[in-house]
């Protein structure tokens, strides 16, 4: 039995798509269990770039079953576009399963996301404006609509009518923006339901059956630990649970079934959207890493904020995820730096903090404590085993292990599948 959860250990965009794609070669099933099309996962195969938002990165392997489980919020128009895009690229989507229980992202969710960000003004969260927060709000408020509802027209009509009435009142009275018309939305969503019907399944049953049969199941986290609504830098977070425990809830799998948790760690740090980022580099050094690493959002195209590796961020991730291994990505982006810095902890009001602070007012005032390591100043993209890496790069990785207490299981030195160094059996 092998059920491996892969999570982002920082603020998202760590390279989860690349790592999942690499692991998928050995997987029988890959499951997305939280988030929605706020995620953007890039996979490069033989110079061809695939950008995925909802469909698990495992789809690029012909025999892997891919699952969008109950914890994901699904914008059906985006999902159908993604299916069409993959088919156009010659990738089969016949092995895609979609949970009937997954909640729908509706047009009023995106509008609510926008008016809410507007209202916050200078304090905005910098969301992806995909309606993800409002969709999870409706789920928690028990007025959300689910994918499976679309196959029950009368039931769907009654629920949509009720929720739309409330949303339209909110748009008119609180925000003074137009609302939505029932008939057009109802017809359009029923058509989406028909188009998605072939994919619908009781995904918890399918996933548990696969685990029970001894299949290798991979859980593909979206976003990152520090964007988790409980364990992230609240309120600058997303509205789901990117931590490993989220896989259990979001897929209907018990915690006793999970065998490994790998945290994907970018060799430096990036963040897109607003919120605290203690090791952020705002000057020319940050610009240099952003340009060298093409750090622009996969989903929104926004420039990503970048900074040094932060071990307090990673120790927090190791703890809340129960991480058993680290997959380091983008080590090659640091190839031309003379020296590198790693934050070992923070100074706050004269005291040294080793743990990542829980409260925003503290986090906003911490000053990172840095250790400086020599750079390697050579290209490492062709390395295929640890010993091929320059000594300085090996020392950087060893220090990362020391500071987190978690072993590194994989190192990625480029975008392509081939630019990958596995250090152990991964399943
Ligand atoms: P995700 O959201 O965690 O899947 O990450 P994204 O796909 O949004 O962003 C990661 C970017 O880094 C993508 O463009 C990947 O192709 C790229 N990438 C992944 N691993 C590596 C690596 O080791 N080196 C380099 N240079 N790029 C990488
Ligand atoms: P992947 O899976 C990076 C960020 C947004 C914003 C915050 C809330 O590609 O790593 P939301 O639209 O979710 O309500 O926005 O979360 N965010 C991400 N940042 N990578 C992502 O996904 C993200 N998904 C959401 O920028 O700061
Ligand atoms: Mg991304």
């Amino acid at each position: 039995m092998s059920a491996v959860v892969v999570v982002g250990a920082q603020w998202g965009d760590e390279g989860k798509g690349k790592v999942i794609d690499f692991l998928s070669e050995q997987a029988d099933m890959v499951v997305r269990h939280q988030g929605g099309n706020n995620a953007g996962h890039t996979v490069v195969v033989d110079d061809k770039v695939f950008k995925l938002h909802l469909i698990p990165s495992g789809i690029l392997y012909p025999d892997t079953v891919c699952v969008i489980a109950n914890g994901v919020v699904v914008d059906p128009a985006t999902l159908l576009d993604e299916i069409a895009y993959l088919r156009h690229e010659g990738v089969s989507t016949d092995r895609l399963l979609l949970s009937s229980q997954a909640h729908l992202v509706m047009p009023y969710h995106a509008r609510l996301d926008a008016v809410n960000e507007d209202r916050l003004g200078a304090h905005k969260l910098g969301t992806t404006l995909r309606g993800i927060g409002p969709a999870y709000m409706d789920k928690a408020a028990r007025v959300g609509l689910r994918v499976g509802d679309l196959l029950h027209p009368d039931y769907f009509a009654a629920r949509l009518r009720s929720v739309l009435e409330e949303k339209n009142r909110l748009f008119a009275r609180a925000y003074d923006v137009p609302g939505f018309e029932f008939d057009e939305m109802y017809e359009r969503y029923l058509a989406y339901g028909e188009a998605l019907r072939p994919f619908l399944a009781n995904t918890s049953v399918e996933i548990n059956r696969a685990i029970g049969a001894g299949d290798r199941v991979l859980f593909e986290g979206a976003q990152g630990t520090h964007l988790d609504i409980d364990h992230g830098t609240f309120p600058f977070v997303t509205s789901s649970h990117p931590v490993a425990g989220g896989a259990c809830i979001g897929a209907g799998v018990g915690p006793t079934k999970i065998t490994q948790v790998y945290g994907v760690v970018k060799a430096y740090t990036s963040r897109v959207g607003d919120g605290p980022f203690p090791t952020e580099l705002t000057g020319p050094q940050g610009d240099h890493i952003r340009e060298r690493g093409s750090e622009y959002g996969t989903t929104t195209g926004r420039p990503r904020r970048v900074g040094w590796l932060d071990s307090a961020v990673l120790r927090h991730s190791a703890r809340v995820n129960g991480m058993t291994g680290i997959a380091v990505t983008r080590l090659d982006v640091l190839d031309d730096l003379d020296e590198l810095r790693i934050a070992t902890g923070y100074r706050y009001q004269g005291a040294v903090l080793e743990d990542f602070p829980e409260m925003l007012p503290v986090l906003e005032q911490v000053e990172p404590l840095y250790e400086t390591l020599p750079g390697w100043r050579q290209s490492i993209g062709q390395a295929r085993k640890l010993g091929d890496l320059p000594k300085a790069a090996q020392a950087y990785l060893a220090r990362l292990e020391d500071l987190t207490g978690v072993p590194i299981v994989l190192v990625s030195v480029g975008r392509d599948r081939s630019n990958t160094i596995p250090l152990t059996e991964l399943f």
Side-chain angles (χ1 to χ4, degrees):
M1 181 180 93
S2 222
V4 174
V5 179
V6 174
V7 296
Q10 292 149 319
W11 278 282
D13 299 327
E14 296 90 350
K16 297 175 294 291
K18 144 105 201 215
V19 171
I20 291 283
D21 172 71
F22 183 80
L23 294 173
S24 293
E25 188 177 11
Q26 298 173 55
D28 300 295
M29 178 181 269
V30 184
V31 182
R32 260 291 298 274
H33 48 81
Q34 46 75 222
N37 61 321
N38 48 350
H41 299 175
T42 312
V43 181
V44 182
V45 186
D46 299 332
D47 289 337
K48 194 160 175 49
V49 180
F50 293 91
K51 291 188 185 295
L52 299 165
H53 299 284
L54 278 167
I55 297 179
S57 305
I59 198 77
L60 302 179
Y61 286 91
D63 299 323
T64 310
V65 177
C66 285
V67 181
I68 299 175
N70 57 280
V72 176
V73 287
V74 175
D75 177 338
T78 310
L79 178 56
L80 288 164
D81 280 353
E82 204 162 301
I83 291 169
Y85 153 73
L86 285 170
R87 285 182 175 161
H88 181 258
E89 296 296 331
V91 177
S92 165
T93 52
D94 293 352
R95 297 147 289 110
L96 181 67
L97 301 178
L98 170 63
S99 169
S100 308
Q101 290 178 294
H103 278 248
L104 291 166
V105 180
M106 303 293 289
Y108 46 79
H109 291 137
R111 189 165 299 172
L112 276 171
D113 205 349
V115 292
N116 207 31
E117 284 283 88
D118 253 12
R119 184 180 63 79
L120 290 169
H123 302 288
K124 71 176 178 17
L125 305 182
T127 74
T128 60
L129 298 177
R130 298 296 189 269
I132 305 303
Y136 279 113
M137 279 165 67
D138 277 0
K139 176 176 176 173
R142 297 162 291 188
V143 295
L145 303 167
R146 305 196 292 178
V147 175
D149 296 351
L150 299 174
L151 303 192
H152 300 277
D154 293 344
Y155 179 73
F156 178 63
R159 289 188 64 89
L160 177 63
R161 206 179 288 286
S162 159
V163 72
L164 205 51
E165 195 182 295
E166 184 260 340
K167 298 297 181 219
N168 282 343
R169 207 176 306 141
L170 187 68
F171 284 130
R173 301 207 184 149
Y175 295 110
D176 197 20
V177 295
F180 292 88
E181 207 233 321
F182 173 85
D183 290 337
E184 189 278 330
M185 195 179 290
Y186 174 69
E187 294 300 334
R188 186 150 57 94
Y189 274 72
L190 283 191
Y192 291 149
E194 281 313 310
L196 291 173
R197 187 189 282 273
F199 302 101
L200 290 197
N202 183 331
T203 54
S204 166
V205 168
E206 297 296 334
I207 298 164
N208 281 280
R209 185 180 290 149
I211 294 174
D215 286 355
R216 291 169 164 187
V217 179
L218 200 51
F219 294 87
E220 175 174 3
Q223 288 82 48
T225 301
H226 289 261
L227 288 172
D228 184 279
I229 191 159
D230 270 71
H231 299 289
T233 47
F234 188 89
F236 295 96
V237 293
T238 191
S239 297
S240 69
H241 286 295
V243 297
C248 294
I249 297 166
V253 168
T256 50
K257 298 288 199 292
I258 306 299
T259 51
Q260 301 285 352
V261 176
Y262 298 147
V264 183
V265 173
K266 192 176 279 199
Y268 47 97
T269 310
S270 73
R271 173 164 206 168
V272 57
D274 297 77
F277 182 173
T279 61
E280 182 170 12
L281 288 164
T282 49
Q285 205 149 22
D287 295 340
H288 176 78
I289 296 176
R290 180 179 311 104
E291 292 315 313
R292 219 187 114 73
S294 311
E295 288 287 6
Y296 293 87
T298 309
T299 299
T300 57
R302 290 178 290 178
R304 294 177 185 149
R305 302 156 65 194
V306 298
W308 297 119
L309 193 64
D310 186 337
S311 71
V313 162
L314 300 180
R315 284 190 296 275
H316 175 94
S317 297
R319 183 181 71 250
V320 299
N321 289 300
M323 251 151 66
T324 59
I326 285 178
V328 180
T329 62
R330 291 183 152 250
L331 192 62
D332 55 298
V333 173
L334 305 177
D335 277 355
D336 67 350
L337 299 185
D338 289 329
E339 46 186 38
L340 306 163
R341 293 173 122 196
I342 303 183
T344 53
Y346 307 121
R347 189 179 304 284
Y348 174 68
Q349 296 185 342
V352 172
L353 305 181
E354 284 184 5
D355 292 326
F356 192 79
E358 294 173 277
M359 300 309 296
L360 197 65
V362 178
L363 197 49
E364 282 174 340
Q365 286 182 34
V366 295
E367 181 199 329
L369 296 169
Y370 287 115
E371 207 170 87
T372 303
L373 286 87
W376 42 94
R377 298 202 52 88
Q378 57 177 285
S379 165
I380 60 171
Q382 296 311 312
R384 293 296 175 268
K385 52 186 197 303
L386 197 61
D388 294 343
L389 290 174
K391 287 281 173 287
Q394 293 186 39
Y396 186 70
L397 295 175
R399 193 63 187 130
L400 166 54
E401 282 188 331
D402 282 352
L403 287 166
T404 55
V406 182
I408 295 174
V409 294
L410 178 151
V411 181
S412 170
V413 291
R415 300 183 84 189
D416 199 78
R417 272 180 194 168
S418 62
N419 304 118
T420 314
I421 310 175
L423 301 181
T424 177
E425 285 291 319
L426 292 159
F427 270 98

